[in-house]
Amino acid sequence: MSVRRKLIAGNWKMNGLKAQLGEVSAIAPLAAGRADIDVALFLPATLIAAAAPLAGDVLIGGQDVHQAESGAYTGNVSAAMLVEAGAGGTLVGHSERRAYQCESSADVAAKAARAHGAGLMVVLCVGETLETREEGDDAAHAWVVDQLLASLPEDADPEWLTIAYEPVWAIGTGKVATPPQIAAMHGALRAALVEKLGEAGEAMRLLYGGSVSGDNAADILHLPNVDGALVGGASLTAAKFAPIIAAA
Ligand code: 13P
């Protein structure tokens, strides 16, 4: 089995003003001390340019990117704009964007391809709703595998693409998926990636996200096929993010 470097990533969502940049400065040395893992922060677009010079080894990324190169898309941010601001990556397909911005898996695949074309690394998010989970584990696995395959860009490669499994019912709820649930879903996603991409599917990182905290990170990060975490609320301060980095 290939060795997959762990990635601990924070997603600040629609939180953070310049007053919070001190947290980026405080997270930077936590990553500098850890040559064995990668650390990333996906920030509001308005903070990227100011955060990048403070971030040291922490990769700064955006939370979404438009699939078009440029044009009449009011309110959107292009891949070239993210790069110019100092971003090294972006999230695509977060469940909040799929739900509130009605983004389809085809949109997500196009966004990932556009971001890669501009030189950004990409964390592509997938995950089932509570309704689907309540249909049973097998139904949930099949649903998320289908969503992943429909969201994968043509040239998916672990060099630049990471997958994040985030059950919608575990996001911001404090209701973390159980270790057996996470291990089973990640096993299903790994099998699908290997079937589709061969060795590249074996090497692709699979992050877990959904109410990850300093209290549960160690149990989650040691599961098979869990190659890191995508952290929302607990990434907003260095004090809460530090124990998750330490657990990796
Ligand atoms: P929480 O860690 O706040 O549950 O958010 C998870 C998430 O959506 C990260 O992208």
Side-chain angles (χ1 to χ4, degrees), residues 21 47 76 96 109 121 130 137 180 217 237:
L21 285 172
L47 285 185
N76 283 288
E96 289 151 14
M121 66 79 80
L130 184 60
D137 291 347
T237 64

Side-chain angles (χ1 to χ4, degrees), residues 6-25:
K6 283 210 173 8
L7 168 62
I8 304 300
N11 171 13
W12 279 19
K13 309 192 180 186
M14 199 171 73
N15 298 291
L17 298 170
K18 281 189 181 166
Q20 276 77 51
L21 285 172
E23 298 297 339
V24 176
S25 305

